[in-house]
Amino acid sequence: MNKLKYTIVKSKKQYNEYCKKLEHFVCQKPTKEIGQEIELLTILIEKWDKEHNTFNESDPIQLLKSLMSDH
């Protein structure tokens, strides 16, 4: 049985790895295979984001200030 290339994200470390891979693929010359990997990674990352989203718990002004200081 072949090992899956990507699995459901189960840790912050895996999430960060997938984000880096997605960023790498987005910068590549588009091909059908790269497009499929981008689509799959995007779905997995969005699933993690939805389950671990803390933006709704934050004060919007504090969140904006935090994002501004980070960038």
Side-chain angles (χ1 to χ4, degrees):
M1 180 176 195
N2 293 340
K3 183 178 177 186
L4 295 174
K5 191 168 190 174
Y6 303 107
T7 61
I8 294 174
V9 181
K10 296 182 181 172
S11 69
K12 186 69 173 178
K13 179 182 176 188
Q14 184 182 17
Y15 171 85
N16 289 331
E17 289 172 4
Y18 282 11
C19 287
K20 287 179 185 176
K21 287 181 181 185
L22 178 60
E23 184 177 350
H24 171 76
F25 286 132
V26 168
C27 295
Q28 298 285 315
K29 182 179 177 186
T31 65
K32 183 178 179 182
E33 184 178 313
I34 288 175
Q36 290 173 341
E37 294 214 26
I38 288 172
E39 187 175 352
L40 179 55
L41 286 169
T42 300
I43 290 168
L44 294 171
I45 290 168
E46 285 177 350
K47 181 180 182 325
W48 171 271
D49 285 339
K50 185 177 180 181
E51 292 173 357
H52 296 87
N53 181 1
T54 58
F55 292 135
N56 293 334
E57 301 167 6
S58 302
D59 173 35
I61 295 178
Q62 286 301 109
L63 177 61
L64 183 57
K65 286 180 179 180
S66 173
L67 290 171
M68 290 172 60
S69 70
D70 289 346
H71 295 83

